[in-house]
Amino acid sequence: MIIVNFTGLDLFLIGELNEKCHSNVAKAFNVKDEDLIFTASDSFVFYKGHEQTSFNLVIRIDAPRKYFPYENDVKKVLFEACKDYSIHVRLYFSYFDENSYYESINKSYVEFLESSHDVGIDDSNYNENREDYDEDDIYLGNIFEDNGIDDDNNDIGPTNFDDILKNN
């Protein structure tokens, strides 16, 4: 497993950035997409008391030692991918012994969530410019309408998060 850690970039931008470059970084390492994960904690870069979010980005890559030969290719991919997300990018590699990596994967579930697991929301009736719109209003409609459950409460599709993940 290779872990790409971001510090100093807005959390939502990291998700967008990851979506754009995940497969290219995996290809640069010569691994499958599943062998690579990106992480982002709510952390910041500071310089002399000034917060540097999206101005200075620090990327640390944790990887088994055998991936050392791929550094230059990975660096090129990440610098190119990050150019529209941060002014300055610093990247370093931290290697570990492959025998020191452990994981526990529950095979009853998909290993990674993807867009096919997203819940679709129909907000076509939403219009905050209506005269009677008040963001504090409580929705009094049927939130279960058209969701795969009939009026007799008989399930005709996945009804909870576990069922959705197991069925995809």
Side-chain angles (χ1 to χ4, degrees):
M1 178 62 65
I2 299 168
I3 304 167
V4 181
N5 307 277
F6 286 89
T7 303
L9 188 62
D10 181 274
L11 293 175
F12 297 103
L13 290 178
I14 293 170
E16 180 182 302
L17 174 60
N18 171 249
E19 186 174 16
K20 290 182 178 180
C21 74
H22 188 109
S23 293
N24 290 335
V25 174
K27 186 183 294 184
F29 269 119
N30 197 29
V31 298
K32 299 179 292 188
D33 283 356
E34 297 79 22
D35 295 328
L36 175 73
I37 58 173
F38 284 62
T39 67
S41 57
D42 197 8
S43 58
F44 304 92
V45 174
F46 284 90
Y47 178 77
K48 293 186 177 183
H50 297 279
E51 189 254 322
Q52 305 287 314
T53 299
S54 298
F55 193 77
N56 278 289
L57 170 62
V58 178
I59 304 170
R60 183 187 80 235
I61 299 178
D62 297 310
R65 294 181 209 289
K66 69 181 181 182
Y67 292 106
F68 172 78
Y70 301 99
E71 271 190 13
N72 196 45
D73 292 338
V74 171
K75 175 196 72 171
K76 288 177 185 175
V77 169
L78 282 170
F79 280 176
E80 179 63 26
C82 292
K83 72 179 183 183
D84 295 327
Y85 291 88
S86 185
I87 305 299
H88 307 293
V89 180
R90 291 167 174 83
L91 167 68
Y92 69 97
F93 293 80
S94 178
Y95 294 103
F96 59 87
D97 186 329
E98 201 165 6
N99 294 324
S100 295
Y101 174 79
Y102 307 92
E103 60 184 26
S104 174
I105 307 297
N106 186 334
K107 297 296 183 186
S108 298
Y109 298 91
V110 296
E111 187 170 352
F112 297 105
L113 297 175
E114 298 184 47
S115 60
S116 63
H117 302 112
D118 290 348
V119 175
I121 297 174
D122 178 13
D123 62 355
S124 60
N125 293 326
Y126 174 75
N127 180 0
E128 68 180 40
N129 295 321
R130 293 186 341 227
E131 279 185 30
D132 62 340
Y133 174 78
D134 181 356
E135 66 182 32
D136 294 326
D137 279 349
I138 297 173
Y139 178 69
L140 300 175
N142 181 356
I143 63 169
F144 298 106
E145 191 172 67
D146 299 327
N147 73 345
I149 302 174
D150 67 20
D151 291 338
D152 296 328
N153 211 19
N154 294 321
D155 297 344
I156 58 174
T159 59
N160 63 47
F161 192 64
D162 287 342
D163 290 342
I164 290 168
L165 293 178
K166 287 179 182 177
N167 290 330
N168 279 320

